[in-house]
Amino acid sequence: MKSETVTYSADGLNMVGELHWDESRAGPRPGVLVFPEAFGLTGHAKSRARRLAEHGYVALACDLHGDGRVIPDLADVMPIVMKLRDEPARIRARAGGALSALVARPQVDARRVAAIGFCLGGTLSLELARGGADLAAVVGFHSGLGTAAPADAKNIKAKVLVCIGADDPGIPPEQRAAFEQEMRAGGVDWRLHVYGGVVHSFTNPDAGALGRPEFARYDASADKRSWAEMLALFDEAFA
């Protein structure tokens, strides 16, 4: 397995990502962007990129805040998150820079690219698709579903999967309902999986470090199921 640091520009920032691929596999292969949780490019997103490489994909774990910066304190990162959510053009610029960096790689088949993301990273994936990016699939794990530009769903070319905890306090039922309406109005090929008894950050084994189990808590079952559903979508989208 090969890993390489990749630098690229996006939204006026110097981004530092981490590319993973299996060099024993010949020929251009599907590429996957992996956008991290709101704190930045931590080990969680990097480990997911490595797992994708083991499945034969070329995966870029993407920077979120520039210079590979991680913001570990929730109180510090939330104002950044809230501001970005109101500025879809900036979100799309950050995601689009990563997409350009990935498809420029000779290992990647630029006609078969997906974007996945966790928490705010899922929002980046969805906004990249709303901006009309040439993606085959988009997956959001415990990602915010709201957008300042719902009419842009008509630009989505990708198959969309979102995986949400039914008890996630940050993604209430009314947000899920609005997302469903947005997808229908845009004519999107979409699916939404909701896991009972599950809250935010259910894919991250370190979620308990926040000390707020009512908000963020790892759930091994939902993690396993959502990952399998993502792989099944990739099989369909990249066929």
Side-chain angles (χ1 to χ4, degrees):
M1 205 67 60
K2 288 275 290 185
S3 298
E4 180 181 321
T5 298
V6 175
T7 59
Y8 57 96
S9 297
D11 190 30
L13 299 170
N14 175 58
M15 300 298 204
V16 182
E18 194 172 279
L19 189 75
H20 298 269
W21 74 99
D22 183 350
E23 60 183 338
S24 70
R25 297 177 184 254
R29 284 152 283 160
V32 183
L33 297 167
V34 182
F35 293 109
E37 292 185 293
F39 305 104
L41 187 50
T42 64
H44 174 246
K46 292 177 183 179
S47 69
R48 297 302 168 124
R50 287 192 292 270
R51 285 176 63 181
L52 285 165
E54 291 169 358
H55 283 284
Y57 302 109
V58 182
L60 178 62
C62 306
D63 196 354
L64 202 57
H65 302 297
D67 295 321
R69 187 163 57 108
V70 173
I71 305 172
D73 194 295
L74 188 63
D76 293 333
V77 80
M78 282 309 297
I80 298 172
V81 170
M82 300 308 294
K83 184 173 176 59
L84 280 174
R85 283 179 177 170
D86 291 334
E87 300 181 273
R90 293 190 62 201
I91 291 179
R92 295 173 191 181
R94 295 193 187 192
L99 176 61
S100 296
L102 180 64
V103 299
R105 302 291 303 200
Q107 302 94 340
V108 175
D109 180 351
R111 299 166 300 174
R112 295 188 294 163
V113 176
I116 74 170
F118 304 86
C119 180
L120 180 61
T123 302
L124 262 72
S125 296
L126 290 167
E127 286 295 353
L128 183 62
R130 290 180 180 112
D134 193 8
L135 299 169
V138 166
V139 183
F141 300 92
H142 42 87
S143 56
L145 305 178
T147 178
D152 286 354
K154 66 181 183 296
N155 300 322
I156 295 176
K157 304 171 186 176
K159 299 177 185 296
V160 173
L161 164 67
V162 290
C163 300
I164 303 296
D167 298 330
D168 187 334
I171 310 171
E174 54 268 27
Q175 190 178 128
R176 299 200 303 262
F179 177 78
E180 291 179 20
Q181 180 55 38
E182 177 198 353
M183 293 295 103
R184 290 191 185 98
V188 180
D189 181 345
W190 67 281
R191 61 209 75 177
L192 188 156
H193 292 215
V194 181
Y195 308 105
V198 175
V199 293
H200 198 64
S201 291
F202 61 81
T203 65
N204 191 343
D206 296 326
L210 282 177
R212 295 180 57 189
E214 78 289 351
F215 170 69
R217 185 175 68 246
Y218 178 64
D219 188 286
S221 177
D223 183 19
K224 182 178 180 180
R225 290 174 180 176
S226 60
W227 188 257
E229 288 151 6
M230 177 203 69
L231 292 175
L233 177 64
F234 286 177
D235 287 344
E236 177 186 334
F238 293 143

